[in-house]
Amino acid sequence: MTRFIFITGGVVSSLGKGLTSAAIGALLQARGFKVRLRKLDPYLNVDPGTMSPYQHGEVYVTDDGAETDLDLGHYERYTGVASRRSDNVTTGQIYTDVIARERRGDYLGATVQVIPHVTDAIKAFIQSDIGDEDFVVCEIGGTVGDIEGLPFLEAIRQVGNELGSERSLFIHLTLVPYIASARELKTKPTQHSVKELQSLGIQPDIVVCRSDREIPASALQKIALFCNVRKGAAIQALDVDTIYAVPRAYHEEGLDGAICRHFGIEAPPPDLSIWDEVVERIRRPDGEVTIGVVGKYTSLLDSYKSLAEALSHGGVANNVRVKVNWLDSEIFEQNGTIQQLENVHGILVPGGFGERGAEGKIAAAKFARERQVPYFGICFGMQMAVIEAARNLAALPKAGSTEFGPCEDPVVGLLTEWMHGNAVERRNVDSEKGGTMRLGAYACDVQPGSRTHEVYGSDRISERHRHRYEVNINYREVLERAGMRFCGLSPDGELPEMVEFPEHPWFIGVQFHPELKSKPFAPHPLFTSFIEAAVQQSRLM
Ligand code: GLN
């Protein structure tokens, strides 16, 4: 029997609903339950794939090729459960579906309305594609009171009503702010937010209160009383020093206990030893390395959420703290200075789009190659490293990517045809932008004897992709002669997936996004190895 836990947020945005949902998933899992996490996003885009990283942060890609909200990354990092297309929906998807059905005549002449047709589509989504999960934790994006959120709240109200409290639970996350002039924590915004929710027919069962300082027991009791929740169901959530301390912190405050009580289930206490170990390693590192990340979206670090986490996991694996210098690649284009890279122990060029800043990334790859500094190129970062090698090692000064317009030596070019399983996928320059990249998990054969083979310890790997352009296999020979090894290829041998310089201490480019699969308790081998190389580098400096 699957139970549903709905998580809403109030008072302000950015309270960490995603992390709370992820931590609840982890706690239930640690009590022996099978969980699944989902996100309902009220915005009108069909998916976040077409949104600017400055607006929305990272686009998280699933194995089955969906471009989803970055919260799904938290879910996966905390539970290890691979998310799927069916774990994230938006208003845009719901309406696309409802309108297509209306056009087909599926509604048999009915007037198509938000209630019941849109809400039915949301309810169907919430309950779709579920197997033997004990719990589905379902986060509602946005804040209570948002106009776009109304159909979603109505849908979860109906689901709660249909399933009853034995199978559904509502958690509301709010803020209890400290007012300096009154020297007091204030509960009123929480009361108002819960009232708003109640006016929509939803009575939360648990209220989780974010606060930057200890909330007195009397204030929590007051919240419970005014918000009509059981004693002990108003739970404080204090700021913690690392996000991986959240599951333990919530457990100590009794959150998972309150959830079990609500459902009347007896479960053994959670085994949080993996979390305690990760947190211990983060809190007590043995040394520090500095990584220079040369990107474009450095003003909004949410754009590199999974990357930042994967780097820290690499640190956990090596018992070091990873300090990241976020560097805007454009600074390397002005007067050719690359000073900011002088003191870093590793250089990482992450995924990116468009010509702006590309030359700076190429310059960073050159610096890393020539100065023997560990280099990790991810997606765009691999493409720029290949262009650099073509220009400066293979005597192809006109080498470039067709992403920036036509060029004489397109060592990176538009991918128009590729194999996905047994099917051929085709695109051209006029294809729609949304959802048409090479997306999701693809296999890659790893060359025995290469460094990447040593890192993975495997002949065949599977990693997630999100890109339109591809290193052109026709340049393989000339680049290999110049010293760059094509150590990973698609199983049909057509698409370069990984490159490395065998003569360099650590220089690896990958066409996929390994950061999406790294977890604190299972750091990705490429990140573990990269940070290990950075530790070596720090000893030389
Ligand atoms: N812009 C490049 C492409 O589309 C790289 C994309 C990426 O780094 N995710 O191929």
Side-chain angles (χ1 to χ4, degrees):
M1 179 178 70
T2 307
R3 298 173 176 90
F4 291 82
I5 298 177
F6 297 106
I7 316 235
T8 54
V11 183
V12 292
S13 59
S14 304
L15 283 179
K17 246 186 309 147
L19 280 178
T20 296
S21 308
I24 288 172
L27 285 172
L28 291 168
Q29 209 179 36
R31 281 182 179 256
F33 296 109
K34 185 166 176 195
V35 299
R36 191 78 185 278
L37 286 114
R38 302 200 142 151
K39 172 107 194 255
L40 311 180
D41 273 312
Y43 54 71
L44 275 167
N45 302 60
V46 170
D47 61 43
T50 52
M51 278 190 238
S52 159
Y54 293 115
Q55 283 260 329
H56 191 264
E58 163 184 276
V59 174
Y60 191 77
V61 183
T62 60
D63 277 332
D64 56 1
E67 297 177 278
T68 70
D69 188 79
L70 58 78
D71 279 327
L72 273 78
H74 290 311
Y75 304 164
E76 229 185 282
R77 282 188 286 278
Y78 277 69
T79 62
V81 177
S83 24
R84 303 183 214 155
R85 184 176 292 277
S86 55
D87 292 328
N88 188 201
V89 80
T90 67
T91 297
Q93 273 168 46
I94 295 287
Y95 272 83
T96 303
D97 177 46
V98 168
I99 290 168
R101 276 199 259 164
E102 185 273 333
R103 293 288 83 185
R104 276 202 308 267
D106 289 2
Y107 294 113
L108 306 173
T111 306
V112 182
Q113 295 179 296
V114 174
I115 305 171
H117 301 101
V118 168
T119 45
D120 278 353
I122 298 172
K123 282 161 68 183
F125 178 85
I126 292 171
Q127 301 183 75
S128 68
D129 193 22
I130 293 171
D132 57 350
E133 283 85 358
D134 299 301
F135 288 96
V136 172
V137 179
C138 200
E139 175 190 351
I140 322 301
T143 307
V144 168
D146 296 346
I147 289 176
E148 297 96 334
L150 290 173
F152 289 91
L153 296 175
E154 171 59 14
I156 62 170
R157 181 194 71 74
Q158 290 181 22
V159 173
N161 190 34
E162 283 159 25
L163 297 180
S165 65
E166 321 81 81
R167 286 191 57 201
S168 66
L169 165 75
F170 293 91
I171 298 180
H172 191 55
L173 181 66
T174 72
L175 176 71
V176 177
Y178 179 75
I179 302 298
S181 56
R183 297 219 199 113
E184 246 182 355
L185 283 164
K186 291 295 181 188
T187 64
K188 196 70 84 186
T190 296
Q191 297 178 40
H192 279 299
S193 180
V194 168
K195 278 226 167 63
E196 178 91 34
L197 203 55
Q198 286 166 338
S199 75
L200 300 168
I202 297 174
Q203 167 61 54
D205 303 292
I206 296 174
V207 180
V208 175
C209 309
R210 286 294 307 272
S211 175
D212 65 355
R213 64 202 69 206
E214 199 79 29
I215 306 177
S218 58
L220 286 172
Q221 276 163 17
K222 187 169 160 191
I223 290 171
L225 182 69
F226 281 92
C227 298
N228 193 30
V229 299
R230 284 159 80 169
K231 198 163 156 265
I235 286 169
Q236 72 168 351
L238 301 178
D239 298 346
V240 283
D241 57 340
T242 151
I243 57 167
Y244 299 120
V246 174
R248 161 70 66 196
Y250 272 143
H251 172 65
E252 304 293 336
E253 297 295 341
L255 180 54
D256 49 319
I259 293 173
C260 291
R261 246 190 333 276
H262 169 92
F263 289 118
I265 38 182
E266 297 279 331
D271 175 5
L272 297 178
S273 48
I274 53 167
W275 296 105
D276 294 340
E277 195 188 323
V278 166
V279 169
E280 178 66 17
R281 279 167 171 255
I282 290 175
R283 286 189 184 147
R284 271 179 258 294
D286 184 15
E288 178 180 281
V289 292
T290 304
I291 302 298
V293 174
V294 182
K296 184 158 79 170
Y297 315 114
T298 46
S299 59
L300 177 68
L301 292 184
D302 263 2
S303 313
Y304 298 115
K305 194 87 223 163
S306 295
L307 182 72
E309 292 309 317
L311 283 167
S312 98
H313 305 162
V316 167
N318 288 283
N319 251 325
V320 291
R321 193 175 100 86
V322 178
K323 180 166 169 268
V324 180
N325 285 352
W326 301 97
L327 303 167
D328 185 336
S329 59
E330 282 180 293
I331 57 176
F332 304 134
E333 293 172 5
Q334 296 142 13
N335 58 45
T337 151
I338 215 122
Q339 214 185 336
Q340 289 85 343
L341 294 179
E342 288 291 345
N343 298 315
V344 302
H345 309 122
I347 296 171
L348 191 151
V349 177
F353 292 84
E355 188 166 19
R356 188 166 63 78
E359 289 301 326
K361 296 175 187 178
I362 293 171
K366 180 163 189 272
F367 179 95
R369 177 177 61 76
E370 290 178 343
R371 301 281 290 269
Q372 305 272 297
V373 181
Y375 177 88
F376 194 0
I378 293 181
C379 205
F380 201 63
M382 158 167 162
Q383 297 174 358
M384 295 307 108
V386 172
I387 292 174
E388 193 280 314
R391 286 184 190 169
N392 301 316
L393 294 176
L396 299 170
K398 300 272 168 59
S401 167
T402 57
E403 182 170 357
F404 318 141
C407 77
E408 209 161 290
D409 275 302
V411 292
V412 179
L414 181 69
L415 183 64
T416 52
E417 208 176 278
W418 66 93
M419 293 302 293
H420 197 180
N422 292 324
V424 185
E425 297 233 16
R426 290 198 178 83
R427 307 277 189 274
N428 63 43
V429 270
D430 300 322
S431 292
E432 282 183 9
K433 290 279 179 279
T436 57
M437 286 187 255
R438 179 150 84 108
L439 289 166
Y442 283 84
C444 159
D445 286 338
V446 192
Q447 198 181 90
S450 64
R451 176 182 290 272
T452 45
H453 192 273
E454 197 184 299
V455 169
Y456 275 100
S458 172
D459 294 344
R460 178 166 282 193
I461 55 167
S462 168
E463 293 279 5
R464 296 182 194 166
H465 290 247
R466 180 172 185 255
H467 56 108
R468 221 177 283 284
Y469 299 84
E470 198 88 38
V471 171
N472 188 336
I473 192 78
N474 298 328
Y475 287 91
R476 177 180 184 177
E477 217 182 293
V478 49
L479 283 161
E480 290 210 321
R481 252 187 281 125
M484 180 174 251
R485 173 152 66 189
F486 282 48
C487 50
L489 292 174
S490 58
D492 64 3
E494 291 295 323
L495 305 173
E497 293 275 9
M498 298 196 281
V499 295
E500 64 184 35
F501 281 121
E503 306 304 328
H504 188 285
W506 206 99
F507 193 110
I508 292 176
V510 297
Q511 187 56 75
F512 43 79
H513 289 277
E515 72 275 23
L516 301 178
K517 297 219 307 196
S518 186
K519 291 155 193 109
F521 42 83
H524 192 286
L526 280 170
F527 282 88
T528 301
S529 175
F530 176 59
I531 297 301
E532 191 186 334
V535 172
Q536 299 292 341
Q537 178 72 10
S538 71
R539 300 209 170 115
L540 298 176
M541 285 165 69

